[in-house]
Amino acid sequence: FAVVINTYKRPDMLRGAVQHYANTCGKDYGVANIFVVWAEVGKDPPTPDDLLADSSSLRKSKVGKTKSIHPNITILPVEKDSLNSRFLPIQELSEESVFVVDDDVRVDCPSLLAGFKAWQ
C-alpha cells in the first residue's frame, strides 16, 4: 500500500514521519510507496534523500538479512495550500490501497499492517 503524508511548514515533523513510515515500518510492514504532499508554494521541497538524512535505510529484515527496505518516496508539490490537496489524484500511484496521514501522526507499524489486512 501507499502512504500519503500531508505537510505544511513543519520540516522536522515531515522528516520524522517519512523516517517512521519508510524505515521503521517500510516494506516489511507493507509500505510500498510514500507520497509527500508539499503545500509550501514558492519554497523548494526537500529531496527524498534529505528526508532520510540522519537515518539508516539499511536494517535487519524479519528474516535476519540486511537489506534496503525503505519504499519509494515521491514529493508532490501542489499549486495552492489546501487541506484538500491530499485528496488530489496521484498519477504515480499504482497501489490499490492508500493510507492518508498528517506529518504529526505516527501509527505504530503492527497497527498499520493490521489495518491494511483488515481492509483486504
Side-chain angles (χ1 to χ4, degrees):
F1 59 93
V3 175
V4 175
I5 302 172
N6 198 60
T7 188
Y8 184 72
K9 293 190 177 184
R10 298 191 293 198
D12 292 336
M13 289 289 226
L14 174 61
R15 184 175 298 107
V18 169
Q19 290 178 9
H20 172 73
Y21 293 109
N23 292 335
T24 305
C25 297
K27 292 180 181 178
D28 284 346
Y29 286 91
V31 179
N33 282 296
I34 296 174
F35 296 95
V36 174
V37 178
W38 182 260
E40 290 189 55
V41 178
K43 183 173 180 184
D44 290 336
T47 67
D49 287 341
D50 291 338
L51 295 173
L52 291 172
D54 302 324
S55 75
S56 174
S57 62
L58 295 175
R59 71 174 169 106
K60 293 275 186 184
S61 71
K62 289 180 182 176
V63 293
K65 296 180 181 176
T66 301
K67 63 177 186 171
S68 175
I69 48 79
H70 75 78
N72 297 321
I73 300 168
T74 304
I75 311 298
L76 303 169
V78 293
E79 293 181 12
K80 70 176 192 169
D81 172 28
S82 169
L83 290 174
N84 292 323
S85 295
R86 70 185 83 205
F87 302 116
L88 293 172
I90 300 172
Q91 291 185 342
E92 299 90 345
L93 183 67
S94 60
E95 293 75 24
E96 292 184 6
S97 60
V98 179
F99 175 68
V100 180
V101 65
D102 284 336
D103 58 8
D104 60 344
V105 176
R106 309 288 182 278
V107 174
D108 66 273
C109 303
S111 295
L112 188 62
L113 182 58
F116 171 65
K117 287 183 177 182
W119 172 83
Q120 287 182 312

